DNA sequence: CGCGTGGTTATTGTATACAAAACGCTCCCG
DNA sequence: CGGGAGCGTTTTGTATACAATAACCACGCG
C-alpha cells in the first residue's frame, strides 16, 4: 500500500464502505482525486480495480457510479462463489499442511471469541472469517482460482454496514468452520466440499434476508456494461 | 475499437499472437507505445487488460513479460473453464430462445464448412467456435459468469500458432457442438452440462498433447504475482 | 577472486495540460 | 406545448514531462 494508486484504492474503497455515498450515485475522477489526495492518473488505476471488483460501474458513456446490487446480483455472486470455493475446499483438503490446519483452528478460536464477547464484534468476526477463507484458497494452490475468487469475495462487503447479523448467524458460521477443519483434518475432499457448499449457501440466505425477498432488491438501473 | 486504448489492446494482442515475441520475453511500455502508435497512458490501460487475461505478467518489481504457460497452468485454466462453462450450459438449456438455438445451428454449419474445405481453415473454425460459446454464455444470462469466463477463454489462444489441429480433432469438436444443440433443443440441462464437460475436457487434452506430458511444459519461472 | 558499493541507465509511476466526448440547458421552430 | 439544434459546461481520454525505483555495470576492498 505504498504507491499512490494503492493508497487511492484503499481510500476510495473505504469511502464507499463508509456509507458516505449511496448506491447509484455518480462519482467523478476529479472528486476521487481530491478525496484521495493524488492525481487522476492513479485514481483511474484504482477505479479500474474497483470496477473489476464490481464496487463501481460505468454507464454506457463511461460515467462512473457506485454499484447497486440487486438481490438477484447477490444470488448470482454467491452461486459462482460457491462453485469456485467448493472446488477450493476440495483441493485444500488434499493439500493443507498440518501447520495450515493448526492455523485454521487458531483463526477459528479468534472468530469464536469475536462472536461471544459481551456483544459480538462483527468487524473482528468478518476479519477472521476472511482470513480463514484466504488460507483455504491459498492451500488450494491454484493461482487463477484465487484470482477469480478475489473478484467475487470483495463485492458484498458493501452491504455489511446495512446488515445486522444475529448472534445465532455468527455461531452457526463458526460451527461450519469447525466442521470444515474436521473435514480437512480427515483429508476428506467430499466432506470439505459439502460443508463449504452449505456454509456459503446459508451465508447467501443471511444476506438475502437483509435485502428483501426475491425480485425486490434495490435495483436502480444504471444500464451498466458496454458489451 | 475506436479509443486509443482499445486500439492499443488489439495491436498488442495481435503482436503477441503473431509469435513475434517469445514467452518469457520482457516488454517495455515504451516499446509497446511505439508499436501501437499511441502514448504510454493508453498502453498502460491495454496492458492492464492483457494482464487480467494472463497474456502478460509482471515480475515482483513490476517489469512486464510475455506470459509463459506451463502444462499445469493450462490444465488449471481448463478445469476452471469447465466448471464455469458447464454451469453456463446448464442455465442456457433453460433459457435459450428458439431463435438462439437456430443461430447455434447456423454457426455450427459454418464451423463444419471450415473443417471440411479441401484443407481445414483453422482460423475460421476458431472464430465460429468462439461465437458458438459466446452465444451460450450470453444465454446463460449471468453477467458475472460471463466476465469470469472472459478471463479464461482468451488466454490459451496464445498457443494456437504452435498447435496443429488434426482434422479429426476438429470433426469431433463439431460433433460435440451438434450434441450440445440437441441437448438445448431438448431443454435438458443435465445433458447440456455433461456434453460441455466432455467437450472441454477433450479440448484440454488436445492442447496438452501439443505442449507435452504432465510436468514438462515450458515453465520459465517469472515469479509472477505480488500477493 | 568474490562480493558489496556507488553511480549510471533503463523502466515504471505520477502529475499536469490539453483534447475529445457527453451532458444539460436554452432557444427556436413546428 | 413538444421536440430538436446549438452551445457552454462537465467529465473522461490522451499526451507529455518529470519523479521514483529497479536493474546494470564497473570499480575497489577484503
Amino acid at each position: 500500500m505504498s504507491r499512490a494508486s494503492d493508497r487511492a484504492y484503499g481510500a476510495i474503497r473505504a469511502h464507499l464502505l463508509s456509507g458516505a455515498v449511496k448506491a447509484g450515485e455518480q462519482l467523478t475522477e476529479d472528486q476521487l482525486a481530491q478525496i484521495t489526495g493524488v492525481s487522476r492518473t492513479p485514481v483511474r488505476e484504482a477505479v479500474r480495480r474497483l470496477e473489476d471488483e464490481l464496487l463501481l460501474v460505468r454507464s454506457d458513456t463511461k460515467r462512473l457510479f457506485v454499484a447497486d446490487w440487486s438481490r438477484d446480483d447477490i444470488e448470482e455472486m454467491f452461486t459462482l462463489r460457491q462453485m469456485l470455493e467448493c472446488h477450493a475446499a476440495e483441493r485444500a483438503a488434499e493439500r493443507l499442511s498440518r501447520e495450515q490446519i493448526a492455523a485454521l483452528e487458531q483463526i477459528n478460536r479468534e472468530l469464536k471469541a469475536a462472536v461471544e464477547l459481551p456483544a459480538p464484534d462483527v468487524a473482528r468476526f468478518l476479519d477472521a472469517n476472511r482470513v480463514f477463507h484466504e488460507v483455504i484458497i491459498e492451500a488450494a494452490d491454484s493461482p487463477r482460482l484465487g484470482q477469480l475468487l478475489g473478484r467475487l469475495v470483495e463485492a458484498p462487503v458493501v452491504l455489511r454496514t446495512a446488515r445486522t447479523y444475529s448472534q445465532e448467524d455468527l455461531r452457526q458460521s463458526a460451527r461450519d468452520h469447525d466442521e470444515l477443519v474436521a473435514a480437512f483434518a480427515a483429508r476428506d475432499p467430499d466432506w470439505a466440499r459439502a460443508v463449504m457448499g452449505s456454509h456459503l449457501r446459508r451465508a447467501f440466505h443471511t444476506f438475502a434476508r437483509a435485502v428483501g425477498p426475491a425480485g425486490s432488491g434495490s435495483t436502480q438501473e444504471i444500464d451498466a456494461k458496454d458489451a
Side-chain angles (χ1 to χ4, degrees), chain A:
Chain A
M1 278 291 216
S2 90
R3 289 198 322 307
S5 71
D6 290 330
R7 278 183 288 122
Y9 168 80
I12 296 170
R13 190 168 188 283
H15 190 240
L16 294 176
L17 298 187
S18 77
V21 291
K22 294 186 290 286
E25 186 171 330
Q26 179 170 3
L27 298 174
T28 70
E29 296 174 354
D30 262 322
Q31 240 174 50
L32 297 175
Q34 268 194 306
I35 290 172
T36 59
V38 301
S39 83
R40 271 182 54 216
T41 309
V43 163
R44 281 172 67 87
E45 189 134 344
V47 163
R48 255 193 98 86
R49 285 168 63 185
L50 291 162
E51 282 182 74
D52 272 351
E53 294 171 2
L54 302 172
L55 267 58
L56 296 176
V57 296
R58 278 188 190 280
S59 74
D60 50 356
T61 55
K62 309 299 182 185
R63 263 146 178 82
L64 195 64
F65 298 88
V66 180
D68 182 33
W69 284 68
S70 75
R71 199 256 190 202
D72 284 349
D73 290 334
I74 294 169
E75 173 154 19
E76 181 197 355
M77 195 277 302
F78 266 100
T79 301
L80 295 173
R81 184 179 167 190
Q82 184 178 340
M83 196 168 5
L84 295 172
E85 207 156 341
C86 283
H87 180 66
E90 208 171 79
R91 287 175 61 96
E94 296 161 337
R95 288 174 176 76
L96 278 157
S97 67
R98 292 201 168 288
E99 291 73 27
Q100 282 174 312
I101 292 178
L104 288 177
E105 284 167 346
Q106 175 54 38
I107 293 162
N108 222 11
R109 273 192 290 277
E110 159 68 10
L111 185 145
K112 280 184 260 188
V115 173
E116 296 300 341
L117 296 174
D121 180 341
V122 174
R124 257 180 83 196
F125 172 88
L126 288 173
D127 263 5
N129 183 66
R130 181 177 48 74
V131 175
F132 187 91
H133 285 266
E134 278 173 0
V135 170
I136 294 170
I137 291 163
E138 171 70 21
D141 189 33
S142 173
R144 279 144 206 85
L145 176 60
Q147 187 192 343
L148 295 184
L149 273 168
R151 300 279 157 65
L152 297 174
V153 173
E154 289 300 318
V157 293
V158 290
L159 298 172
R160 99 180 141 143
T161 51
R163 172 72 192 135
T164 57
Y165 295 87
S166 79
Q167 191 169 34
E168 184 46 32
D169 288 338
L170 303 179
R171 282 193 182 122
Q172 179 59 51
S173 193
R175 280 193 292 272
D176 285 348
H177 283 209
D178 276 339
E179 186 171 356
L180 218 27
V181 171
F184 289 145
R187 301 274 174 216
D188 186 332
D190 291 344
W191 188 9
R193 158 184 283 276
V195 176
M196 182 62 89
S198 61
H199 177 57
L200 289 176
R201 199 62 193 168
R202 176 170 31 265
F204 157 60
H205 284 289
T206 300
F207 264 91
R209 229 185 307 129
V211 74
S216 78
S218 65
T219 343
Q220 202 162 320
E221 289 308 314
I222 296 282
D223 66 310
K225 294 287 123 64
D226 41 319

